[in-house]
Amino acid sequence: MGLGAAPFAVAAVPHRNATVLRDADLVLTMDPELGEGVLGRIEHADVLFEGGVVSAVGRGLAVPRDARVVDVGGQVVMPGIVDTHTHLWQVSIRGGCADRDVLGWLSNCSVATQPRISPADMYRFVRLATLDALQTGVTTVVDWVFSLPYAQTEQYVRALEESGLRFVYAMGGLPGREIARMKRELIDPLPLGSAHVSSFSDIGQLERLRADLRLARELGVMLNTHALEHRSQRAEKPIEALLRAGALDSDLLLNHAIHLTGHELEAIAGAGAGVAHCPLSNMRLASGIIKLPRMRELGIRTGLGHDGGTADTSDAFALMRAAVGLQRASTMDAGVYPGVEDVLRMATVGGAEAIAMDDRIGSLTPGKRADVLVLDPGTLNFAPRFDVIGQIVFNGQPGNVSYVFVEGRMLKSRGRLVNVDVAQVISDAESAATSIRGAIT
Ligand SMILES: [Zn+2]
């Protein structure tokens, strides 16, 4: 469809809870069927959502009489960011272990602190982290936790729910019946929540991997594993372990996946498994550089992730910039994959594909959930406009995100989080942090 095309509309959608984003300068639908190019661009267009679902995108849409009208003149509308891998609780150790690699960070910061966090403090940390994610335009998070008891999980999930984010809670490291109970009691009742089973892939612990896989199958959810983040983890032979356990398939998400051989990349592609790439974390923790161009050639489904506290803040723009920059710096080729369009796709619909949620989120295709962000380019860090797509990636900052909607619900408006006492949230997290600082070595 070209720029002058007629609006794409869905008939007989109820007009309840309707919102129209009116007269955006540019809508990046991420659906090539709806607009121009791979990002499905439409200029000077409206986006209408009703009952939490995108119902129409196009120029001069007819607006239901009771609709909320948000004037987004001069701004850019796109799908919300899908963060395919994070650990929100790790805001508790922000700034810690600044001179350690991933192994040092894990032992001296992460593993040292998690058991010391009370349920009440877990809520305070995750509350802060969810708001940090929302303010940069993240609308879906995949949060990976391990060995977290019921009481802490209850407060963790409460903070996720209260944020209004869509979330996937990947949990493991406890008896299967306990994971099943937490899913049934804490996650299943929540319309925006779903679960994965979190795991490690290590040939030395094949029985545990098999048990995790059985549990994931029983619960009907994806298996979600860290793999080959540090070069020394080659000794764990994670891809061989996954193959031997029967876990390497399209219901698997691999986090980091840096130190892979050519044959292993081909095995992942052949199996249809997804990958979560965390470039800010990989830089910070000296982990290495993922082989994205080869993964693209093989058609591996890949999304982006902040990787929680290891990336230290939620900045979707810095994340995209790092994904592009790492490949350019290592190949000295400005044409290497991903380019700016590729990385915008990776941050949205690519992430949705990696976690098999692209039937619901990732693009502004009518019928998908209304997870939307609006970006205001009229700021010191962004202006003057020249190539807006490139500028989103190279100049964007969380402060450019003027509106965020999840399931049609407005969570950020005119640059401010809605109905949140930010100062109180920060103060609560500060006081909670004092109780775990002594554990960091
Ligand atoms: Zn991680």
Side-chain angles (χ1 to χ4, degrees):
M1 181 186 284
L3 294 183
F8 184 108
V10 172
V13 174
H15 289 174
R16 205 163 42 87
N17 303 323
T19 296
V20 64
L21 307 180
R22 175 119 79 188
D23 198 25
D25 254 29
L26 179 63
V27 178
L28 302 176
T29 65
M30 303 296 163
D31 182 346
E33 302 280 310
L34 292 182
E36 216 177 48
V38 68
L39 304 186
R41 300 167 58 143
I42 314 175
E43 291 179 8
H44 303 295
D46 306 331
V47 176
L48 175 64
F49 36 93
E50 304 173 82
V53 174
V54 176
S55 53
V57 182
R59 291 183 178 173
L61 296 179
V63 178
R65 221 176 313 137
D66 59 348
R68 168 175 57 189
V69 177
V70 180
D71 179 2
V72 292
Q75 304 196 47
V76 179
V77 178
M78 59 180 274
I81 304 295
V82 179
D83 185 339
T84 55
H85 182 67
T86 192
H87 313 267
L88 294 176
W89 72 270
Q90 291 173 354
V91 298
S92 58
I93 40 181
R94 274 180 171 167
C97 298
D99 58 353
R100 309 292 162 84
D101 72 0
V102 60
L103 301 181
W105 186 89
L106 275 171
S107 58
N108 295 64
C109 267
S110 179
V111 175
T113 52
Q114 183 183 307
R116 294 173 66 131
I117 302 177
S118 70
D121 285 348
M122 187 60 84
Y123 170 83
R124 295 182 179 110
F125 291 134
V126 180
R127 174 75 175 144
L128 180 132
T130 56
L131 300 181
D132 187 35
L134 276 173
Q135 54 100 23
T136 192
V138 168
T139 52
T140 296
V141 293
V142 182
D143 198 331
W144 195 101
V145 299
F146 207 71
S147 302
L148 207 59
Y150 191 100
Q152 274 82 351
T153 299
E154 191 172 27
Q155 295 307 311
Y156 205 122
V157 173
R158 179 164 78 92
L160 282 164
E161 184 202 6
E162 286 181 6
S163 72
L165 280 165
R166 189 179 306 284
F167 67 94
V168 180
Y169 193 71
M171 51 189 162
L174 297 171
R177 63 180 182 285
E178 189 68 1
I179 301 291
R181 178 181 163 221
M182 293 196 293
K183 176 180 178 293
R184 186 175 63 248
E185 294 180 1
L186 302 177
I187 311 284
D188 290 350
L190 305 178
L192 298 183
S194 56
H196 285 175
V197 170
S198 58
S199 185
F200 289 101
S201 311
D202 182 343
I203 201 84
Q205 299 188 52
L206 205 49
E207 279 317 305
R208 187 175 79 177
L209 179 58
R210 287 189 171 123
D212 291 341
L213 177 65
R214 273 196 302 276
L215 179 63
R217 295 285 189 267
E218 261 172 51
L219 299 177
V221 303
M222 286 179 77
L223 190 69
N224 187 323
T225 182
H226 284 74
L228 292 166
E229 181 175 5
H230 190 269
R231 64 189 182 283
S232 68
Q233 290 162 343
R234 291 244 21 111
E236 297 169 2
K237 301 184 179 173
I239 305 304
E240 187 184 333
L242 289 162
L243 278 166
R244 281 175 54 181
L248 192 65
D249 61 19
S250 59
D251 287 325
L252 176 73
L253 184 69
L254 293 151
N255 305 307
H256 303 292
I258 298 169
H259 303 284
L260 290 155
T261 67
H263 288 309
E264 288 171 340
L265 283 168
E266 285 165 18
I268 291 168
V275 167
H277 171 38
C278 307
L280 287 174
S281 165
N282 299 160
M283 288 163 60
R284 204 265 212 197
L285 297 175
S287 299
I289 300 179
I290 195 172
K291 299 179 177 81
L292 271 186
R294 181 60 183 147
M295 290 166 64
R296 165 67 169 176
E297 284 169 10
L298 291 167
I300 296 175
R301 298 179 289 130
T302 307
L304 295 179
H306 279 102
D307 199 21
T310 59
D312 294 320
T313 198
S314 287
D315 182 337
F317 305 92
L319 192 64
M320 291 190 281
R321 207 140 57 229
V324 171
L326 280 175
Q327 300 301 327
R328 290 190 182 185
S330 62
T331 61
M332 295 181 281
D333 175 5
V336 72
Y337 180 87
V340 290
E341 288 194 336
D342 303 318
V343 85
L344 273 164
R345 198 185 175 285
M346 200 183 292
T348 53
V349 71
E353 288 167 359
I355 56 172
M357 287 178 71
D358 52 309
D359 59 332
R360 282 154 281 170
I361 58 170
S363 69
L364 301 180
T365 309
K368 286 197 186 182
R369 315 312 295 177
D371 294 4
V372 182
L373 77 82
V374 183
L375 194 147
D376 180 1
T379 58
L380 288 172
N381 60 289
F382 204 114
R385 291 194 214 188
F386 181 57
D387 171 355
V388 172
I389 304 292
Q391 285 171 277
I392 293 171
V393 175
F394 293 126
N395 304 100
Q397 294 178 3
N400 291 105
V401 176
S402 51
Y403 294 89
V404 175
F405 299 85
V406 176
E407 193 99 342
R409 185 175 157 208
M410 186 187 276
L411 300 176
K412 189 176 184 183
S413 171
R414 298 172 187 269
R416 288 181 180 277
L417 295 168
V418 175
N419 292 331
V420 175
D421 183 346
V422 172
Q424 186 65 51
V425 171
I426 293 169
S427 156
D428 289 349
E430 287 288 356
S431 58
T434 58
S435 65
I436 60 159
R437 285 289 182 249
I440 299 175
T441 55

